[in-house]
Amino acid sequence: MSEHVLITGGAGFIGSRLAARLAKAGHEVSVLDALIPQVHGDDPDTTSPMLRSLDGIATVIRGSVTSESDLRRALAPATVVVHLAAETGTGQSMYEIDRYCETNVGGTAKLLDILANDRHSTRRIVIASSRSIYGEGSYRTADGRIVHPPHRADRDMARGDFDVHLPGEDTLELVPTAEDAKLHPSSVYGITKQTQEALVMTVAPTIGVEPVSLRYQNVYGPGQSLKNPYTGILSIFSTLIRQGKEINVFEDGQESRDFVYVDDVVEATYLAATDPRAAGETFNVGSGVATTVNDVIETLFAAFGTRVPTRLSGNYRLGDIRHNVADTSHISQTLGFSPLTSFTEGVGRFVDWVRSEPIDGDGYQRSLDEMSARSLLK
């Protein structure tokens, strides 16, 4: 059945690709996007390839999810909503608290309020949640119990102890985090994503709308913003490598993340929007593989064919987690989805794209300076 899909934040990294995937399958697509300079540059019509990629495949509405009038105009024809619009970045969220809450929580609340009180044709809403809502995620104790440790203490990290601990327990073993794990985010960003998800999953069924929640892991790939210092270490490290600058490795470089290629994320989101089996479900969307920061650096060096100096500084950011890897069995068993792109292959494609892009300023250093000034970077 052909749908009219509204993608909030649809001119972004994931949304623009999802729009193309939906249009190719015969669905009508609308996009609502605020086109913020941090992502799209100061003149999006000329500085945003993602916006230009929507020409001929989607109706673009320039507006914000914090505006009721913009939302009403965008929602009017939609039978499916994919709600991607959000402020992103763990570190920045810790000192731009009001902005993150206004966009992520307030925008979601406005969207649901309109659906609850106005006539509409929407039958499904997909919310882009995040792995950040798990906090430190799942671990196994020496006697085999699955536990969810508290956030790491500043005092421990200050003396170089970056591992997670649980009082009364010895060494903890990292295990993949499943959807039924404890939710205890360690950052303002994580709190807002947990609240977004809870709002959608609670309200939507009461108004006859099918909810689906996707807990994205660390998404990467060509088209990822190289200007926004909060989009992840692949963009940051790639820029430093191209500039021949030293890479400051936080903690001990053994912290790990679940990196999932953007095309795989798009396919999972497409299924969440269109597959009847997704209704009412919550899914992790990841690779199921934990990759350390040290491994990320070595993979980038191999892809670029060059190296730059690295320094294990022991710096750390308050609000960061130690490890993260998703249990992806639920989405595999329910929707038949499995990611197709290995990290090495994905980084190769990413680096091939990066080589064709201009090298932009030093937004990363500015972001570190902002965090240091607020005692969030130690």
Side-chain angles (χ1 to χ4, degrees):
M1 181 176 69
S2 179
E3 305 285 358
H4 188 128
V5 184
L6 167 65
I7 310 172
T8 69
F13 174 45
I14 298 171
S16 58
R17 283 171 168 75
L18 177 61
R21 174 69 175 89
L22 288 160
K24 183 178 180 180
H27 301 288
E28 191 170 352
V29 183
S30 295
V31 161
L32 174 66
D33 203 297
L35 301 174
I36 62 172
Q38 183 168 287
V39 176
H40 296 279
D42 294 326
D43 182 15
D45 289 312
T46 59
T47 58
S48 177
M50 294 180 292
L51 175 61
R52 294 197 301 272
S53 74
L54 297 173
D55 290 348
I57 66 170
T59 300
V60 177
I61 301 168
R62 301 190 183 203
S64 171
V65 292
T66 62
S67 164
E68 287 186 16
S69 60
D70 292 343
L71 276 171
R72 280 197 169 89
R73 182 158 59 102
L75 281 168
T79 59
V80 174
V81 177
V82 179
H83 187 33
L84 301 179
E87 299 290 351
T88 61
T90 297
Q92 189 179 44
S93 78
M94 300 296 284
Y95 58 89
E96 296 198 18
I97 301 159
D98 182 62
R99 182 163 72 92
Y100 274 69
C101 289
E102 180 186 16
T103 301
N104 298 0
V105 178
T108 304
K110 279 185 170 63
L111 188 157
L112 291 170
D113 194 85
I114 292 169
L115 293 178
N117 292 286
D118 292 5
R119 292 175 61 88
H120 63 83
S121 56
T122 301
R123 63 172 192 84
R124 177 174 292 190
I125 179 170
V126 179
I127 177 66
S129 187
S130 167
R131 56 89 183 161
S132 64
I133 71 175
Y134 292 123
E136 287 294 347
S138 298
Y139 287 77
R140 181 183 289 116
T141 63
D143 60 2
R145 290 173 292 115
I146 301 300
V147 295
H148 303 97
H151 312 317
R152 295 180 294 168
D154 189 358
R155 63 180 180 276
D156 291 334
M157 293 191 286
R159 56 185 176 84
D161 180 3
F162 301 114
D163 288 327
V164 297
H165 300 286
L166 191 63
E169 302 292 342
D170 292 325
T171 303
L172 299 175
E173 176 191 0
L174 176 70
V175 296
T177 300
E179 289 86 352
D180 60 357
K182 178 180 179 180
L183 306 183
H184 60 142
S186 59
S187 66
V188 172
Y189 172 69
I191 291 169
T192 65
K193 299 307 287 186
Q194 181 184 1
T195 305
Q196 276 189 304
E197 179 182 306
L199 284 168
V200 169
M201 300 306 286
T202 300
V203 173
T206 71
I207 57 175
V209 176
E210 299 170 347
V212 186
S213 178
L214 300 179
R215 294 174 181 170
Y216 293 151
Q217 308 301 302
N218 290 65
V219 187
Y220 74 99
Q224 185 173 345
S225 177
L226 301 175
K227 301 175 182 178
N228 182 356
Y230 304 99
T231 55
I233 60 173
L234 282 166
S235 291
I236 292 166
F237 290 171
S238 293
T239 297
L240 292 173
I241 290 169
R242 295 179 74 197
Q243 293 173 328
K245 293 183 177 180
E246 176 186 77
I247 296 176
N248 176 0
V249 183
F250 287 3
E251 301 187 17
D252 57 3
Q254 291 303 310
E255 61 272 31
S256 65
R257 297 293 185 267
D258 184 329
F259 292 94
V260 57
Y261 192 66
V262 63
D263 289 352
D264 291 324
V265 171
V266 166
E267 190 60 27
T269 309
Y270 175 82
L271 291 172
T274 60
D275 194 317
R277 297 172 296 179
E281 298 289 343
T282 297
F283 300 111
N284 286 332
V285 180
S287 67
V289 177
T291 302
T292 69
V293 171
N294 287 334
D295 286 341
V296 168
I297 293 170
E298 289 302 319
T299 305
L300 283 170
F301 285 166
F304 275 107
T306 189
R307 305 178 71 88
V308 297
T310 61
R311 176 169 56 93
L312 286 172
S313 66
N315 290 144
Y316 60 92
R317 299 189 309 178
L318 298 181
D320 273 356
I321 63 169
R322 177 61 169 171
H323 297 298
N324 169 66
V325 62
D327 182 335
T328 59
S329 58
H330 182 46
I331 193 169
S332 175
Q333 293 165 5
T334 306
L335 301 182
F337 169 80
S338 295
L340 300 177
T341 310
S342 70
F343 185 63
T344 300
E345 180 184 0
V347 169
R349 295 178 190 173
F350 173 72
V351 167
D352 285 345
W353 168 77
V354 167
R355 291 180 190 276
S356 67
E357 295 295 302
I359 299 176
D360 216 319
D362 202 10
Y364 176 53
Q365 186 58 51
R366 287 197 302 274
S367 74
L368 297 184
D369 292 342
E370 290 175 357
M371 294 196 70
S372 295
R374 295 165 174 83
S375 298
L376 293 170
L377 173 64
K378 303 296 183 76

